[in-house]
Amino acid sequence: MKMKTKRPINARTRMMLTLQLAVMLPAAVLVILSAWHLKTIQRDRGVEAAIQRDFSQVLAISEKQINHKAYELADDVRADFPPPGEACSDTLDRILGAHPYVAHLMLYGPGQGFVIRSQSHRLKNDPGFRDEAEHMSKMMEGWWKLDYDDLSKKLAKMDAKGTPYYFEGEWTPRGDKHVYTSTAIFLRKDKETGKAAIAAITFDGDYLRDQFFPQTLDQVMSRNVAEAQTDKNAVIMVRGKSDSTPLAYGTGWDGGEAEVERNLESVFPGLVLGMKLRGTTLAAMGQHFVHTSFWILGGLSFLLAGGIFLTYRNVSKEMALARLKSDFVSNVSHELRTPLSLIRLYAETLELGRLTSPEKHQEYYCIIRKESERLTALINNILDM
C-alpha cells in the first residue's frame, strides 16, 4: 500500500498563518484586557466615586456661598444695631421693621438685663409665633446670664480673628409644629463707655424655608453650572439632620434621597445640604456606563471576530488554491509523461532495428501516431483551461 506523503508547508502558507496570528493574538489580548478593566470599574464603583467627589466639591462651594449670603443679611442688621446703652423697644422695633426676615432681636448686658423684641404684627396675629418668642426668651436669657463671661470672651476672640458671629441653630416650637431658626450671636460694644453686651439676630424660620433657601439654592446651582462645576441635571436640597424630608429645595428637585450630603456646621448648624441627579441615581449611572461599555466591547469583539473569520477564510482559500495548483501541475505532468514515454519507447525500438516483420513496424507507427494525437489533445485542453 502506497503511503501518502505529508505536504510540506511552503513560505506562502507560513506567511498566511503568521498574518492570522498577528490579527488574532492582539485582538484576544484587547478583549481580555477590556473585560478585566470593566470588571474593575464595576467592582470598585469608580464611576460613582468620581461623581460623588464632584458633588462633594460642589456642596462645599455651595455652603460657602450660602454662608456668605447669610453673613450679608446679618451684617445689614448688625450695622443698625444700637449700642448697649441705647437699646430699647423703639430702636429694636425700627430694625425689625426694616428687616422683615428677622424674627427676634435680643440683647443682654450685666447692667441692663435681658431685652428681646419680636415682629409685633406676628405676635398679635400668630399664636405659634408667640410660643416661639417665649421659648427663645427663656432659653437665651437663662443661657446668657449663666455663661456671660465665658461667652463674651469667646465672641471677642472670634471677632478678633475675623469671625464676628457665633450661630446657634435650633428647631423651635411654633404652635403644633417645629420650625428651624438660626440665631447669629455677636458682641456689641459701646465705643464711648466701653461697655459690652451680647446681642443676637434670629432669622425667621418661615423666611428661611420659603425664601432664603429656595432662592439661594437656585442661585448657587446656577453659578456652579455656569462655571462648569457640576452637571446641569444636578439638583440640591437642605434638610434637618434627623429628618429625611427636605426643609427646602432648589428648582427641579424630584423627590427621593440625596446621593451626596454635607453637614452645615457654620451658619446653619443642624442642617444637611444634599445633592442628586434629576431623574436618575449615581448607581444607575454607573450601571449604565458599565452596560454601555460592555455593549461597545461586544461590538468591537464582533467586528474583530468578523475580521478574524474573513482572514481565516481568505487564508483557507489561498491554501486551497495553492493545493489545487500543486495537484494540477502534478496531474498534468503525469498525463504528459505517459504519452511521451510511450513515444520514446517505441521510437527507440524502431531506431535499434529490433523488429523483423513489417506488421510490427506498422503497429509501432500506429501507436506512436495515437500517442502523439493524445499528447496534442492534452496540450490543447491545458491551453483551453
Side-chain angles (χ1 to χ4, degrees), residues 19 99 108 131 154 177 233 271 343 357:
L19 290 176
H99 303 89
Y108 174 76
D131 294 339
K154 179 180 179 179
K177 61 181 180 179
N233 290 320
L271 295 184
I343 291 172
S357 64

Side-chain angles (χ1 to χ4, degrees), residues 27 68 139 145 217 324 333:
H68 179 71
M139 182 183 66
K145 285 182 178 180
L217 293 177
L324 182 62
S333 63

